[in-house]
């Protein structure tokens, strides 16, 4: 049955490890075999250290044999997006400018997963500095969608989505700035959650846009996502924006939701995200699946109503001013002086020339585009019109959410307006690429939790259903997502990803 | 190329100066502004660093609460309004000594605003308005290697020491100070001196200008007398001693006067001060200055000092230098001029400590402004650098007062103390410096003088009392000055009268 291990969810793998039905080495080897076999095609990983992973797995197995008390995650393999700094393990953030850099420290979330006894399989591919929605902006190679290798796996956490959907990791961490966990999860048939801003530490997460970046889980099931989220969440004194509040009970919420009891839950369907008069750019199939899912919730006792959030229409332009502005500053430290790439330092060039050559050659076109955009938006004389105005829009969006949450418990929408598109289809059209984030941006700008859960197929490709909740009410996202997942699984008779396994036998 | 300069007294007949100062004070907190690294001065390069102050990818800052408290205390001491809510901002520019590609500073929301500081020059009080006091992080230190000057020009390569990067730095910015006229250079100097004393009295920094823990940028402009508008200012950077502050202002006034006399415009620019020549030279022109693209630091939550906390900090402020001076002047019964001398000699704290150790104020002042000032001057060091403590000075005063030593011996005792031979009493014992009582040795010396000088004895007996001096001198010579002259005189008189 070894071949089947990589099609199981993490909770089940954890149960087998605890029961002694499987060992961590065996499990780790199964994923490494799968990586060896599939990653050539999928491009999910930028770095895999099989030897280190197996050594680590052997340690955990030995500890278990010795009768040590181990946590629920001990021995479970995990993949980390290459945006997380990992001590001694190459970390590039998908960029040439960091090629060869081995950080001297661990990101807080990486350290927490290490302490929980997980086995790091490797670092996953991503759009350079998390800028993109397709992972085509990776400086190394594009990642591909396991449902159709000619299509994108979403982005920027596309390496993580390809790895988990393709069975190259049981679960993975991604980061979400404008939708970079939720959209790749949606287009590859995974559960992906962006936590409340400040509820998961950003320490050691290579910053794209500081006021938006959040790390979160990407998994095969809602319960797995909750389990991984609980392991990484909670206050971190090294991140001053970290919220000092206990992590809500997410696994419990997922279990509760899976029982399907939603009586009294008030659900708001956001008109501006695919509702009447706002369907331009949305796939009909995506809208159909979302409508069916809303009906499903109603069937489980939820009280469904349409809600209008007019400021959401302004989310896209506001986001594409705020994120590049912060990025232009966050990426200033990559100047070739202290780590990573250095170009042209042959004794004939000035400091400024070496800095500029390094940045010219080390950054890809999308990163440069956003640095230029952000630099412009922050310039004296333009600040108020661009950055200042975008921050005001952010306030308006937050107000819309606050008003909506006075009447409903959660808001729902499609996660992505479309299913996965063919690789190359949008590379020459940045605006079309940016539109992929339409539905995910409002929760990002307001710092609210939002989850994407698979809600069916359109044109044979996965569609994601987004559930948004008030700040710190991440448990509501898990509860509703688990209800959707359980109902659809029951109706289908199989888990969502089993459809992919059946289609492409391992 | 040397600048044309106008004579100082001459320029004052045509122009009026306005000065302004931006002072950076490195706080003496145990750890850096945004990380836990130590701040010890002089440590091996790059040994006090971590991912945060090296600006490594992924690292994040966390504000040092001690630095916030110190900044608020400085603000309170300067009579500032303390913001109830303010943010840090990023000042974006590229330079190898700023590891993040931006300096975390404050921009339009400083922690403290609208204060003032009164300084006195030649008995005249000048009010310096404080525009703002804000908190930021220091940069690393560049070391240019291979050139002759230590400057970047001619260097083969440069090294960066990040030990200083991230040390909390308070910037205190004055409003332009008009109306100081001829005294503008002295007012600038007095302001920096007073600010230094305040920060020191707060214990917020060791304010050592020579170590760079207090650094000044001096703005100077000239306008024709009677003009309603101020002139174009220059900003002279890195003026790192009180004397240099004064010299830099004076030099800029003389240079700018020549520029204006020639009918040219003063360029708005940054200038560098040269300690050796006392001159300034142009640096970067402000007209082509960087756009720093300030925006609120998203990695830090706003600073919102609690009103009660600020009140508690205000209540716990120590006595400030001006108040202390006024109190001591009154306690010691000094005139304003005497007090000024004491302060200018850098002896106020020493005298206060000496008085605290039991000396009388007049006695303590006499020692520090007299003998000790001479010694310091001869050695070319500050008074505080002398190897004698206020307690030792007080002890020396006691030994003189109780007749153990006379003034001449006291100076020898001081020699011993400065040579590291111990406390004054120890030196007296070890060197055998105590004044002789009516010991057998002294009686013998007196008898010897009388017996050896019968002619002098005869003169005294004949009424030439002044001749006694020769006998006293003879006794003093025999005893190598250890005898008390008055005692010797009395003993001689008794014996001459009795014979
Ligand atoms: Zn540090």
């Amino acid at each position: 049955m070894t071949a089947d291990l990589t099609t199981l969810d993490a909770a089940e793998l954890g149960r087998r490890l605890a029961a002694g039905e499987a060992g961590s080495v065996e499990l780790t080897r199964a994923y490494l075999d799968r990586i060896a076999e599939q990653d050539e095609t999928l491009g999910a990983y930028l770095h895999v250290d099989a030897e280190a992973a197996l050594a680590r797995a052997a340690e955990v197995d030995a500890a278990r044999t010795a009768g040590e008390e181990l946590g629920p995650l001990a021995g479970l393999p995990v993949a980390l997006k290459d945006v997380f700094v990992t001590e001694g393990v190459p970390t590039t953030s998908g960029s040439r400018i960091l090629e060869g850099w081995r950080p001297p420290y661990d990101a807080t979330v990486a350290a927490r997963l290490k302490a929980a006894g997980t086995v790091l399989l490797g670092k996953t591919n991503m759009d350079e500095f998390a800028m993109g929605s397709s992972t085509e902006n990776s400086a190394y190679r594009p990642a591909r969608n396991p449902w159709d290798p000619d299509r994108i796996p979403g982005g920027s956490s596309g390496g993580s989505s390809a790895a988990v959907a393709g069975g190259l990791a049981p679960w993975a961490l991604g980061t979400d700035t404008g939708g970079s966990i939720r959209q790749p999860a949606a287009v590859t048939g995974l559960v992906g959650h962006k936590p409340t801003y400040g509820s998961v530490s950003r320490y050691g997460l290579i910053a794209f846009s500081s006021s938006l970046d959040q790390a979160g889980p990407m998994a095969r099931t809602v319960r797995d996502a909750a389990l991984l989220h609980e392991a990484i969440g909670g206050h971190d004194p090294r991140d001053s924006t970290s919220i000092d509040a206990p992590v809500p009970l997410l696994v419990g919420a997922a279990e509760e939701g899976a029982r399907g009891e939603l009586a009294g839950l008030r659900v708001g369907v956001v008109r501006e995200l695919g509702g009447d008069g706002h369907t331009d750019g949305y796939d009909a199939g995506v809208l159909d699946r979302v409508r069916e899912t809303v009906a499903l919730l109603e069937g489980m006792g939820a009280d469904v109503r349409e809600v209008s959030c007019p400021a959401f229409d302004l989310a896209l332009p506001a986001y594409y001013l705020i994120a590049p502005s912060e990025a232009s500053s966050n990426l200033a430290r990559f100047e070739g002086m202290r780590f990573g790439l250095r170009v042209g330092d042959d004794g004939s060039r000035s400091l400024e020339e070496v800095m500029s050559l390094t940045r010219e050659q080390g950054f890809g076109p999308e990163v440069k585009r956003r640095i230029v955009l952000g630099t412009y938006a922050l310039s004296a004389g333009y600040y108020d019109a661009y950055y200042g105005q975008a921050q005001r829009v952010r306030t308006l969006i937050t107000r819309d959410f606050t008003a909506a949450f006075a009447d409903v418990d959660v808001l729902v929408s499609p996660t992505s307006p479309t299913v996965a598109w063919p690789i190359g289809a949008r590379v020459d059209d940045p605006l079309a690429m940016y539109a992929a984030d339409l539905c995910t941006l409002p929760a990002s700008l307001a710092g609210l939790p939002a989850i994407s859960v698979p809600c069916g197929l359109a044109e044979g490709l996965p569609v994601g259903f987004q559930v948004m909740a008030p700040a710190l009410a991440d448990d509501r996202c898990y509860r509703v997502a688990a209800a959707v997942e359980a109902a659809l699984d029951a109706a289908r008779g199989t888990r969502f990803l089993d459809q992919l396994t059946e289609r492409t036998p391992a | 190329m040397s600048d044309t300069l106008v004579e100082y007294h001459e320029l004052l007949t045509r122009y009026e100066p306005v000065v302004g100062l931006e002072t950076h004070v490195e706080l003496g907190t145990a750890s850096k502004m945004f990380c836990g690294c130590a701040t010890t001065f002089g440590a091996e390069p790059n040994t006090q660093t971590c991912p945060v102050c090296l600006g490594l990818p992924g690292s994040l800052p966390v504000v040092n609460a001690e630095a916030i408290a110190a900044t608020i205390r400085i603000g309170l001491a300067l009579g500032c309004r303390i913001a109830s809510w303010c943010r840090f901002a990023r000042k974006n520019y590229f330079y190898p000594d700023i590891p993040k590609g931006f300096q975390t500073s404050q921009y339009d929301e400083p922690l403290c605003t609208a204060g003032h500081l009164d300084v006195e020059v030649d008995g005249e009080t000048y009010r310096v308005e404080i525009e703002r006091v804000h908190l930021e992080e220091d940069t690393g230190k560049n070391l240019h290697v291979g050139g002759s000057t230590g400057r970047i020009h001619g260097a083969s390569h440069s090294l960066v020491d990040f030990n200083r990067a991230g040390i909390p730095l308070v910037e205190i910015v004055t409003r332009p100070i008009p109306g100081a006229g001829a005294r503008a250079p002295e007012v600038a100097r007095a302001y920096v001196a007073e600010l230094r004393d305040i920060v020191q009295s707060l214990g917020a920094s060791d304010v050592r200008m020579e170590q760079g823990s207090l650094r000044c940028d001096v703005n100077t402009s000239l306008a024709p007398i009677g003009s309603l508008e101020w002139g174009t200012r220059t900003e002279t950077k890195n003026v790192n001693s009180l004397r240099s502050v004064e010299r830099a202002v004076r030099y800029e006034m003389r240079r700018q006067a020549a520029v204006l006399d020639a009918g040219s415009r003063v360029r708005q620019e940054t200038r560098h001060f040269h300690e050796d020549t006392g001159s300034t030279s142009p640096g970067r022109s402000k007209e082509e200055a960087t756009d720093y693209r300030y925006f609120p630091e998203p990695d830090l939550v706003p600073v919102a000092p609690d009103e009660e906390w600020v009140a508690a900090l205000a209540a716990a402020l120590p006595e400030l230098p001006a108040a202390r001076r006024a109190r001591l002047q009154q306690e010691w019964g000094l005139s304003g001029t005497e007090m000024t001398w004491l302060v200018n000699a850098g002896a106020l704290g020493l005298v206060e400590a000496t008085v605290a150790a039991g000396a009388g104020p007049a006695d303590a002042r006499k020692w520090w402004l007299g003998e000790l000032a001479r010694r310091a001057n001869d050695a070319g060091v500050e008074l505080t650098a002398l190897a004698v403590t206020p307690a030792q000075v007080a002890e020396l005063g006691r030994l003189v007062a109780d007749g153990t030593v006379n003034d001449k011996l006291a100076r020898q005792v001081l020699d011993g103390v400065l040579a590291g031979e111990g406390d004054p009493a120890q030196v007296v014992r070890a060197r055998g410096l105590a004044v002789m009582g009516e010991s057998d040795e002294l009686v013998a010396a007196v008898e010897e003088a009388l017996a050896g000088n019968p002619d002098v004895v005869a003169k005294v007996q004949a009424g030439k009392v002044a001749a006694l001096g020769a006998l006293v001198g003879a006794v003093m010579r025999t005893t190598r000055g250890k005898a008390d002259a008055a005692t010797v005189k009395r003993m001689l008189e008794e014996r001459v009268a009795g014979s």
Side-chain angles (χ1 to χ4, degrees):
Chain A
M1 291 293 284
T2 308
D4 287 341
L5 285 176
T6 61
T7 64
L8 299 175
D9 60 60
E12 169 61 14
L13 293 172
R15 192 197 61 74
R16 291 192 186 188
L17 285 173
E21 293 167 24
S24 180
V25 168
E26 176 193 357
L27 205 56
T28 303
R29 202 182 297 279
Y31 283 102
L32 290 171
D33 288 349
R34 179 96 181 144
I35 291 167
E37 188 183 295
Q38 295 281 323
D39 202 39
E40 186 76 27
T41 310
L42 292 179
Y45 285 90
L46 292 177
H47 175 81
V48 175
D49 188 343
E51 217 168 291
L54 288 170
R56 169 90 175 134
E59 270 173 37
V60 181
D61 282 346
R64 200 183 300 278
T65 310
E68 279 179 40
E69 186 105 13
L70 298 175
L73 270 62
L76 285 173
V78 66
L80 295 182
K81 185 177 181 179
D82 206 27
V83 76
F84 297 102
V85 164
T86 41
E87 187 178 351
V89 179
T91 302
T92 68
S93 205
S95 181
R96 290 282 174 200
I97 211 159
L98 272 178
E99 198 167 3
W101 184 54
R102 285 177 189 259
Y105 76 107
D106 266 329
T108 295
V109 293
R112 285 185 181 173
L113 288 181
K114 212 183 244 181
T118 63
V119 174
L120 179 64
L121 288 169
K123 307 293 290 290
T124 58
N125 203 354
M126 56 185 285
D127 285 301
E128 185 176 4
F129 286 108
M131 297 175 184
S133 308
S134 69
T135 317
E136 289 164 296
N137 295 334
S138 165
Y140 297 92
R141 53 176 176 163
R144 290 165 184 276
N145 194 322
W147 292 81
D148 176 354
D150 291 332
R151 290 176 186 265
I152 58 105
S156 64
S157 310
S160 288
S161 67
V164 178
L168 281 60
W171 52 12
L173 286 191
T175 55
D176 191 312
T177 304
S180 282
I181 286 175
R182 290 162 285 163
Q183 182 258 9
V187 300
T188 57
L190 302 182
V191 178
H193 180 67
K194 183 198 87 77
T196 299
Y197 181 81
S199 69
V200 175
S201 171
R202 288 188 298 118
Y203 190 78
L205 188 172
I206 297 177
F208 160 21
S209 179
S210 308
S211 72
L212 297 162
D213 295 341
Q214 264 299 284
M218 300 173 75
R220 297 173 75 91
T221 67
V222 176
R223 194 170 189 280
D224 277 4
L227 198 60
L228 190 55
H229 184 163
E230 283 187 5
I232 59 169
H235 182 241
D236 177 10
R238 286 188 297 187
D239 174 358
S240 112
T241 61
S242 161
I243 298 168
D244 195 358
V247 189
L249 296 174
L250 306 174
V251 175
E255 285 168 351
E256 191 192 7
R259 289 195 287 272
E261 194 45 65
L262 294 183
L265 181 83
R266 297 167 304 165
V267 175
V269 180
V270 183
R271 182 191 302 154
E272 285 74 13
L273 303 178
D276 284 348
H278 295 82
T279 55
D280 271 4
Y282 287 79
D283 287 352
V286 167
L287 294 177
D288 286 346
R289 290 302 88 75
V290 169
R291 264 193 293 274
E292 290 158 18
T293 309
V294 170
L296 191 70
L297 291 174
E298 213 159 12
M300 285 187 272
D303 166 11
V304 176
R305 66 192 79 170
E306 192 184 56
V307 166
S308 175
C309 297
F312 285 15
D313 286 342
L314 304 170
L316 196 72
Y319 175 84
Y320 279 96
L321 286 169
I322 291 167
S325 293
E326 293 181 4
S328 71
S329 173
N330 283 331
L331 268 53
R333 70 188 63 197
F334 301 98
E335 24 77 314
M337 292 298 119
R338 287 154 300 130
F339 42 77
L341 189 71
R342 183 188 289 185
V343 179
D345 183 17
D346 57 6
S348 76
R349 293 186 174 86
S350 73
L351 176 80
E352 284 79 6
E353 286 167 333
V354 171
M355 281 183 169
S356 103
L357 270 178
T358 300
R359 289 169 69 80
E360 163 64 31
Q361 290 184 32
F363 289 140
E366 182 61 26
V367 172
K368 286 179 191 158
R369 178 169 16 245
R370 297 204 198 186
I371 289 175
V372 169
L373 238 161
T375 303
Y376 186 78
L378 288 177
S379 297
Y382 297 101
Y383 180 91
D384 271 338
Y386 294 122
Y387 191 77
Q389 189 70 3
Q391 291 292 8
R392 285 186 279 279
V393 167
R394 203 168 177 175
T395 306
L396 293 179
I397 289 171
T398 303
R399 274 189 207 153
D400 277 0
F401 270 117
T402 307
F405 286 129
D407 297 325
V408 299
D409 300 308
V410 294
L411 290 170
V412 300
S413 76
T415 303
S416 167
T418 69
V419 294
W421 60 87
I423 287 177
R426 298 189 187 178
V427 283
D428 295 325
D429 187 356
L431 292 181
M433 191 77 91
Y434 296 172
D437 302 329
L438 215 52
C439 303
T440 46
L441 289 174
S444 292
L445 289 164
L448 304 184
I451 201 165
S452 179
V453 62
C455 65
L457 298 173
E459 304 159 50
L461 293 165
V463 176
F465 183 74
Q466 179 175 235
V467 183
M468 298 167 272
L472 293 173
D474 297 59
D475 52 339
R476 287 189 206 167
C477 296
Y478 284 100
R479 183 171 166 229
V480 176
V484 169
E485 177 186 60
L488 291 176
D489 283 358
R492 199 185 299 116
T494 59
R495 302 281 185 103
F496 187 81
L497 278 179
D498 293 340
Q499 302 172 91
L500 174 60
T501 316
E502 284 154 18
R503 194 186 302 184
T504 56
Chain B
M1 187 189 76
S2 67
D3 297 313
T4 310
L5 303 177
V6 176
E7 282 303 322
Y8 191 68
H9 66 268
E10 192 201 325
L11 78 88
L12 290 166
T13 63
R14 295 194 292 280
Y15 301 107
E16 207 155 2
V18 175
V19 294
L21 293 109
E22 292 169 24
T23 311
H24 287 93
V25 174
E26 257 184 15
L27 292 180
T29 50
S31 60
K32 291 187 179 181
M33 187 62 232
F34 299 117
C35 63
C37 287
T39 56
T40 320
F41 180 80
E44 278 294 299
N46 295 310
T47 53
Q48 293 173 349
T49 59
C50 73
V52 177
C53 56
L54 287 176
L56 293 190
S59 65
L60 292 173
V62 176
V63 169
N64 181 343
E66 205 194 327
I68 301 279
T71 309
I72 291 176
R73 293 172 73 238
I74 292 172
L76 289 168
L78 295 172
C80 289
R81 201 179 63 76
I82 309 302
S84 56
W85 188 92
C86 67
R87 285 178 296 186
F88 283 93
R90 290 187 183 179
K91 180 180 181 180
N92 296 285
Y93 66 102
F94 287 100
Y95 209 64
D97 63 8
I98 55 158
K100 295 175 292 189
F102 59 83
Q103 181 191 29
T104 308
S105 180
Q106 292 195 285
Y107 181 49
D108 49 0
E109 299 170 9
L111 198 45
C112 321
T113 50
H116 60 81
L117 180 57
D118 291 335
V119 298
E120 216 184 274
V121 173
D122 294 342
E124 192 99 22
T125 300
Y126 295 87
R127 169 152 292 200
V128 177
E129 303 281 351
I130 307 292
E131 184 175 306
R132 56 189 282 153
V133 177
H134 79 242
L135 190 50
E136 60 188 31
E137 59 180 339
D138 210 342
T139 63
K141 226 174 189 165
N142 294 317
L143 199 72
H144 304 297
V145 186
S148 54
T149 57
R151 292 174 171 275
I152 196 161
H153 289 292
S156 64
H157 61 286
S158 301
L159 300 170
V160 190
D161 178 6
F162 289 104
N163 282 354
R164 199 180 69 178
I167 288 184
L169 205 57
V170 171
E171 182 172 338
I172 301 127
V173 183
T174 70
R175 288 190 171 283
I177 311 163
R183 293 200 189 106
E186 285 101 326
V187 168
R189 176 193 177 131
Y191 161 77
V192 177
E194 186 70 10
L195 181 63
R196 180 197 60 183
D197 291 350
I198 287 177
V199 172
Q200 195 162 39
S201 74
L202 295 171
S205 166
D206 59 9
V207 284
R208 298 221 178 127
M209 292 187 85
E210 73 281 4
Q211 286 184 1
S213 56
L214 187 149
R215 316 195 278 272
C216 279
D217 300 341
V218 184
N219 298 329
T220 313
S221 69
L222 285 187
I225 288 176
S227 161
L228 293 175
E229 279 174 27
W230 289 341
T232 305
R233 70 189 164 89
T234 59
E235 183 179 3
T236 307
K237 291 266 187 198
N238 300 318
V239 188
N240 291 336
S241 74
L242 293 179
R243 185 165 163 262
S244 298
V245 169
E246 195 177 323
R247 289 167 84 205
V249 173
R250 199 178 297 268
Y251 184 89
E252 269 306 289
M253 286 169 65
R254 296 180 61 195
R255 187 189 67 82
Q256 291 181 19
V259 172
L260 296 172
D261 279 355
S264 309
R265 279 177 46 225
V266 171
R267 278 160 58 91
Q268 183 171 352
E269 65 188 355
T270 297
R271 297 184 69 88
H272 298 294
F273 181 71
H274 305 285
E275 295 275 349
D276 46 355
T277 57
S279 62
T280 66
S281 64
R284 208 175 42 228
S285 166
K286 277 272 169 180
E287 277 137 32
E288 54 197 65
T290 333
D291 175 358
Y292 291 119
R293 291 174 285 118
Y294 282 101
F295 74 104
E297 167 57 278
D299 283 331
L300 291 170
V301 289
V303 177
D306 184 67
E307 221 171 284
E308 279 174 36
W309 183 52
V310 174
L313 289 175
L317 284 184
E319 184 184 35
L320 296 176
R324 171 167 164 254
R325 283 197 304 270
R327 174 176 60 78
L328 292 177
Q329 184 183 338
Q330 205 233 335
E331 278 176 16
W332 297 345
L334 302 182
S335 72
T337 314
E338 286 171 321
M339 197 62 192
T340 306
W341 283 348
L342 204 54
V343 170
N344 289 349
L348 187 64
L350 294 166
V351 169
E352 191 184 19
T354 307
V355 170
D363 208 26
R365 259 177 47 203
K366 186 196 80 187
W367 274 108
W368 287 107
L369 293 184
E371 186 62 24
L372 289 163
R374 246 190 317 281
R375 305 275 182 135
N377 196 40
D378 290 348
V381 298
E382 298 285 314
L383 270 180
T384 44
L386 287 177
V388 58
T389 65
Q392 288 170 329
V393 174
E395 187 185 340
L396 195 53
R398 268 196 304 278
L399 292 174
V400 173
D402 68 13
T404 307
V405 294
N406 52 27
D407 282 352
K408 186 178 170 216
L409 286 174
R411 284 195 287 277
Q412 293 179 43
V413 174
L414 192 57
D415 290 338
V417 172
L418 291 171
E421 293 167 22
D423 287 335
Q426 285 172 289
V427 175
V428 166
R429 271 196 306 281
R431 291 194 175 195
L433 293 175
V435 167
M436 287 175 168
E438 275 183 67
S439 61
D440 291 350
E441 193 189 345
L442 185 55
V443 170
V446 167
E447 296 295 348
E448 190 191 317
L450 291 169
N453 299 286
D455 49 333
V456 180
V457 173
K459 278 185 194 168
V460 174
Q461 283 171 330
K464 285 193 167 177
V465 179
L468 196 67
L471 294 173
V472 172
V475 174
M476 295 306 278
R477 269 192 302 281
T478 315
T479 58
R480 299 195 315 278
K482 283 188 285 179
D484 177 48
T487 309
V488 171
K489 192 171 173 237
R490 182 176 46 74
M491 287 168 73
L492 285 166
E493 280 168 351
E494 280 168 10
R495 282 167 175 74
V496 171
S499 64

